Amino acid sequence: MIDALLEPSDLPHRLPRFADISIEDYGPAIEQGMAEQLAALAAITSSTDEPTFENTLVALERSGERLDRVLRVFFSLLSADSDDDLDELNAAYAPRLAAHHDALLLDDALFARVNAVYENRAELEGEDRYLVERYHRDFVLAGAALGPAEKARLRELNQEISGLEAAFGQAAQADSNDLAVVVDTVEELAGLTPGEISAAAAAAENRGLAGKFLITLTLFTAHPYLSVLENRELRQRLFEAQLARGSRGNANDTRAIALDALRLRAEKAQLLGFDSYAGLVTADNTAGTPKAVRDMLERLAAPAARNARAEQAALEASAGGPIEAWDWPYYAEKVRVSEYDVDLAVLRPWFEADRVLHDGVFFAAGRLYGLTFEERPDLQGYHPEVRVFEVSRDGEPIGLFLLDLYTRDSKKGGAWMNSYVTANTLLGEPSAIVTNNLNVPKPAPGEPTLLTFDQVNTLFHEFGHALHGLLARATYPRFAATSVYRDFVEYPSQVNEMWMLWPEVLANYAVHHETGEPIPADVLGKLEASATFNEGFATSEYLAAALIDLAWHELGPADVPTSPEAVGEFEAAALAAVGLDNPAVRSRYHTAYFKHIFGGYASAYYSYIWSEVLDADTVAWFKENGGLTRENGEAYVRYVIGIGGTRDPLESYAEWRGRPAPIAPLLERRGLA
């Protein structure tokens, strides 16, 4: 029933009625949503009244309400619980949705009305004025000022690009599933915990491989099991499987798709008056220009590479000889233990997932923001494993938080946050619904879910996005929840990571799942002492991915190679140019499975470290001002996560701190000073 997609739900906080939605509903609902929005746009442009803020911008904001409601569900499930039918729908509708988007932003009459309001924006103030300015920028960067021939070509490009992006994601996921590593004996899995082994056995059984074990692949290059697997041959198999995704010359090879998309993006950018696609993207972000991004990344690359070389020498001393990329995580943990007496793998019994969630993640949010979380088993998510929590602030319900913790073949790799409902007053939506997705291997029934150190960090990180979505309040949907600049959106999530090891928070959740004993008192000090350990590796692998992304998107159309085999050569040259070509430290992602840049982060993977400048300065502020207090949380809500996209985020930050964020805290944190 398409009404379950189009109409506001009657469930608490407008939680979608997932049980009433079938695959057959999406197509008709999308069609109807597009038709209704086009009719609303026609009503705006056919009006003979003088363009005003109300009859143009507010009407524009209202126009896509029902289509947006459909697409939030569709795209969320496409990432979290897809199948062949949903993938086919996406492939069919991606070009049509791109064309629909163009029908809005390339409409001459609509742009004329928006431009008329923009010219008189001095009459407006606050969020109203900012809405006009942002929409005008959207139209200009989308090509609204181009001539008819250029617009026609732009429409073609947008449809082709969207189709290629959908195809890339589908092929990359299929190849990741296909390359999952099959292990014959439990002895080969030495180093994994009983829970991880049971998860591998269950995954194999689900694939019809009873009696064997299956290690599914993660999104990033260095699989977390590489740090604990004792069998070097298996480590190599796992690493090479990760690296091979999308580049095996089979039906799921993504390289030709990637090159076609890059070439068309470059043509689009030139059509819009930019030298490169990176120029187009950064023009609508806080960075402003590709040069600003490259200058920062290259400033960090040399010291990061230097630190990684020093770390490599220590690892090779521990290994008794040269190490390969699949050895690095394993020997890094050995050196961490010997130098700092910190074995991250040994800490897992203190990181039981439910305890981390309730007594860590939720606890910190309660202290800072007055939030409480009540699980609602009566409310159904989109998958049986999804848990639904009602969120209240100072006793008043403000929304729902959905948690989808476990990995499955129907879910893409990595971790992310989505919004189903965003709080805004224009459409009468006072509360928000957000979901966090992770990819933790699910243990066998009866086994506890014990998280790795990195998974705990990821849970805190993604919950930072969730807090942003839950606490932001805006008048207009355009500014609701996490609708901020792409190179700003990671900042709140990074800040929330700090509470993972905050003494008061750690002591509250890090309790041994069997004995009830708290985590050893000296562990926090050891973790803090080892904070910059292996940071040369971590920074180098991240910068490598960011620079690969930037280098591709700095090219003109004629500069993009045509041969799939040239992809690896291009990456190697881009990294060698900045000294990040150490074969033992591979890029966090490579082009053939770099889903970020063939999705929402095209030419914007730099965003994480760009945002970290603000994050590091904010962490320093919390430490200087008493840490986990309600007063500090209120200030942070007022100037950062509570404002959504309603004002320039850097202006708000400078107002709060009395100055822009300096880079020094970031350099110190990453050991690059």
Side-chain angles (χ1 to χ4, degrees), residues 101-116:
H101 188 65
D102 286 344
L104 189 160
L105 291 175
L106 298 181
D107 186 291
D108 291 334
L110 183 58
F111 179 54
R113 293 184 70 88
V114 170
N115 193 58

Side-chain angles (χ1 to χ4, degrees), residues 11 14 85 157 163 173 241 321 375 411 431 433 464 477-478 494 512 529 562 610 637 642:
L11 293 176
R14 298 188 176 181
D85 291 336
L157 289 170
Q173 184 64 45
E375 189 151 12
K411 184 193 288 189
S431 56
I433 301 178
R478 173 71 170 75
Q494 290 168 333
H512 197 285
T562 56
W610 191 269
V637 170

Side-chain angles (χ1 to χ4, degrees), residues 291-312:
K291 182 180 185 304
V293 175
R294 182 167 283 281
D295 286 349
M296 180 188 184
L297 297 180
E298 291 188 354
R299 174 181 180 181
L300 302 176
R306 181 187 65 235
N307 289 358
R309 290 287 184 187
E311 292 164 3
Q312 185 174 355

Side-chain angles (χ1 to χ4, degrees), residues 348 405-407 411 438-443 449-451 455:
R348 291 189 61 174
L405 186 67
Y406 296 112
T407 189
K411 184 193 288 189
L438 280 77
N439 268 280
V440 176
K442 187 178 183 180
T449 300
L450 303 180
L451 304 180
Q455 287 166 346

Side-chain angles (χ1 to χ4, degrees), residues 384-525:
E385 292 175 348
V386 175
R387 300 168 67 183
V388 181
F389 298 85
E390 186 164 35
V391 187
S392 297
R393 191 173 194 214
D394 297 327
E396 291 295 322
I398 64 167
L400 298 175
F401 169 67
L402 281 60
L403 178 64
D404 188 352
L405 186 67
Y406 296 112
T407 189
R408 53 181 174 268
D409 285 352
S410 63
K411 184 193 288 189
K412 76 175 186 180
W416 64 95
M417 168 266 196
N418 285 122
S419 290
Y420 284 107
V421 178
T422 61
N424 67 91
T425 56
L426 181 70
L427 302 182
E429 295 180 328
S431 56
I433 301 178
V434 301
T435 180
N436 276 170
N437 276 270
L438 280 77
N439 268 280
V440 176
K442 187 178 183 180
E447 295 281 345
T449 300
L450 303 180
L451 304 180
T452 67
F453 185 87
D454 285 344
Q455 287 166 346
V456 176
N457 188 73
T458 298
L459 186 55
F460 274 86
H461 175 98
E462 294 304 329
F463 194 71
H465 287 304
L467 288 168
H468 199 177
L470 286 165
L471 293 173
R473 292 296 180 269
T475 302
Y476 304 110
R478 173 71 170 75
F479 296 144
T482 56
S483 298
V484 297
Y485 292 109
R486 176 64 71 181
D487 58 7
F488 183 86
V489 75
E490 293 298 334
Y491 156 51
S493 57
Q494 290 168 333
V495 167
N496 204 59
E497 294 176 24
M498 72 179 291
W499 306 117
M500 172 186 170
L501 296 180
W502 195 262
E504 183 182 356
V505 180
L506 185 71
N508 200 58
Y509 76 82
V511 176
H512 197 285
H513 76 102
E514 291 179 331
T515 68
E517 291 295 314
I519 198 165
D522 62 339
V523 167
L524 180 59

